Amino acid sequence: MDVTDHARALLGRVLHGHAVAARITEVEAYGGVNDPASHAFTRTPRSEIMFGEPWRLYVYRSYGMHFCANIVTGPTETASAVLIRAGEIVDGIELARARRGDRVKDVALARGPGNLARALGLSLDDLGTELLGSNAVHLGDEPPSAPAISEGPRVGVSKAAGVPWRFWITGDPTVSVYRRSPRA
């Protein structure tokens, strides 16, 4: 399975994080050492987690403002990962509202990678969490049937901007709006 297959397979699964759960509705695939848009394209201390075991959580701070969560898919020498871009809160909605603010509509509580991480209470403390266990942060089972999936270019990347490695559940209202990077 390559990273795009893993990305598609994550759609519809539930990501549990600190007493809140979100059904994954949008993802982006990053091909590690073979993908100039990936943090692992150049190996650094920050991207080292991507070269480790699959099914670990890679959390990083984006623009110094918010956290983003990725699922490392491997293989280890490739360092591929999938960014979780959006989800539908399916459990713990009151806590998600408290983390995101009372004025945010339910449909937008986990729309966008920073908002999703905030709604789930994810931080750098969760970096490296094994997601197939029973930790406070873990990944639920595959959905009983695969959802209809749409694809398009990734959001906000300046390199490999046209690569259609963004996947989302077709027609889902929690999916974020596409924004091409002005540097692309």
Side-chain angles (χ1 to χ4, degrees):
M1 225 182 195
D2 75 5
V3 69
T4 60
D5 294 328
H6 283 294
R8 287 182 189 94
L10 285 168
L11 292 170
R13 289 183 83 166
V14 175
L15 181 60
H16 300 263
H18 307 288
V20 174
R23 180 179 62 93
I24 300 170
T25 60
E26 180 185 5
V27 296
E28 285 180 349
Y30 288 89
V33 298
N34 300 313
D35 181 358
S38 173
H39 290 173
F41 187 68
T42 302
R43 196 169 187 159
T44 65
R46 177 171 93 160
S47 68
E48 193 62 33
I49 183 75
M50 295 172 72
F51 290 89
E53 292 295 315
W55 304 111
R56 306 262 175 211
L57 194 65
Y58 166 41
V59 179
Y60 65 92
R61 189 179 292 276
S62 179
Y63 299 108
M65 300 181 339
H66 54 263
F67 296 107
C68 293
N70 295 256
I71 297 174
V72 175
T73 62
T76 57
E77 67 277 2
T78 304
S80 298
V82 176
L83 172 67
I84 309 303
R85 284 202 51 82
E88 173 194 12
I89 302 300
V90 295
D91 192 31
I93 198 159
E94 293 301 324
L95 183 52
R97 280 189 200 118
R99 289 173 177 158
R100 289 276 292 119
D102 292 335
R103 294 184 182 179
V104 178
K105 293 180 181 180
D106 289 355
V107 73
L109 285 171
R111 183 187 290 151
N115 295 332
L116 179 131
R118 182 176 293 143
L120 294 176
L122 300 176
S123 72
L124 292 177
D125 292 338
D126 299 304
L127 177 66
T129 298
E130 201 282 310
L131 294 171
L132 298 182
S134 58
N135 301 308
V137 178
H138 66 278
L139 189 60
D141 295 330
E142 293 181 24
S145 60
I149 298 172
S150 295
E151 66 180 58
R154 295 177 287 195
V155 175
V157 296
S158 59
K159 296 178 181 171
V163 175
W165 283 5
R166 175 177 165 245
F167 305 97
W168 63 92
I169 296 177
T170 304
D172 194 289
T174 64
V175 172
S176 63
V177 176
Y178 173 73
R179 290 189 182 97
R180 185 175 173 90
S181 170
R183 299 179 316 251

